[in-house]
Amino acid sequence: MAYSDWTLETVKKAFQLEEVNAVGIFSNVEPVEPSAHLATALERNVPLAFAMGTEKAKSELIVSAILVELWEHFDRSISFFSGIDFNVDAENGLTGICDFLVSLSSSQFHVEAPAILLVEAKRDNLTIGLGQCVAEMVAAQRFNVEKGNGIPRVYGAITSGIDWIFLKLEEKKLQLDMAAYTIERCDKILGILAGMVAQKA
């Protein structure tokens, strides 16, 4: 079993997670103004990615640009990975490839704990990625503990590039923000991501 095989129902049951749904869990996070470079890149890339319509195009043209901006925002003191194998616990189905993974370590050549944020890119239907993203978050929790670098919270995001939804996992408590954030509010998306990295979201 791989991350992509999980549904929200099966992952909650398997790992005994308590789901809490609320609107605007991350609404109080301070926005982060995008750089001129990112603003220009998104102005150019978003229509192109939208026209192509594929998950790959949206990942490469939008999501990667935002995560590079996040990396720069923290003066390159964090790391992020794209299309990385993250095999944590094969016996419990926590294996597979993560679209994007952000770590609080600055090491860019391999994933070091603590892994803090998992981002899954989807073509359009974001809710279909919930189980996959949550399974990756559970894996990140276990990975961090196994490496002796546990942190209180692990976060997730599912995005079409245009729309973003965010999740938080603290021990067995899974919080899903019922609000969707759009790329037009890139400052808010960046603010939420930065708050996650700072463990303040």
Side-chain angles (χ1 to χ4, degrees):
M1 191 169 190
Y3 298 124
S4 56
D5 296 322
W6 291 99
T7 65
L8 182 58
E9 182 181 7
T10 58
V11 75
K12 280 168 48 186
K13 183 176 180 181
F15 299 106
Q16 300 176 324
L17 304 179
E18 174 198 356
E19 179 184 345
V20 178
N21 298 328
V23 176
I25 295 168
F26 301 100
S27 60
N28 292 328
V29 173
E30 287 296 316
V32 170
E33 194 65 29
S35 67
H37 178 79
L38 178 62
T40 300
L42 292 179
E43 185 178 352
R44 178 188 61 220
N45 293 359
V46 169
L48 184 60
F50 181 76
M52 285 193 244
T54 66
E55 183 179 307
K56 189 170 188 291
K58 291 172 181 178
S59 292
E60 292 173 345
L61 296 172
I62 303 173
V63 183
S64 287
I66 288 173
L67 292 179
V68 168
E69 180 87 353
L70 183 70
W71 180 62
E72 291 282 6
H73 178 76
F74 284 96
D75 298 319
R76 306 185 182 188
S77 64
I78 61 173
S79 56
F80 85 94
F81 302 86
S82 173
I84 188 93
D85 281 313
F86 193 51
N87 299 318
V88 174
D89 184 352
E91 188 176 330
N92 287 295
L94 299 178
T95 62
I97 296 174
C98 297
D99 285 347
F100 297 94
L101 183 153
V102 176
S103 167
L104 295 183
S105 165
S106 61
S107 176
Q108 194 61 68
F109 289 96
H110 64 277
V111 178
E112 287 186 358
I116 189 163
L117 171 64
L118 293 305
V119 181
E120 276 302 313
K122 295 298 171 192
R123 185 173 179 177
D124 42 34
N125 185 350
L126 301 189
T127 57
I128 201 169
L130 284 170
Q132 180 176 0
C133 189
V134 172
E136 293 169 4
M137 293 163 71
V138 171
Q141 270 187 336
R142 294 188 174 199
F143 174 78
N144 294 341
V145 170
E146 285 170 9
K147 299 298 182 183
N149 204 346
I151 51 177
R153 292 169 290 280
V154 171
Y155 299 92
I158 307 164
T159 179
S160 65
I162 309 298
D163 297 309
W164 295 67
I165 56 176
F166 297 103
L167 308 89
K168 180 194 302 188
L169 181 61
E170 191 165 3
E171 295 182 351
K172 297 283 187 179
K173 183 180 179 182
L174 174 65
Q175 296 183 64
L176 285 79
D177 195 335
M178 301 290 284
Y181 300 84
T182 65
I183 197 65
E184 285 81 9
R185 286 299 315 274
C186 180
D187 61 336
K188 191 66 175 179
I189 291 168
L190 277 174
I192 291 170
L193 294 173
M196 290 172 169
V197 169
Q199 290 270 290
K200 294 179 179 177

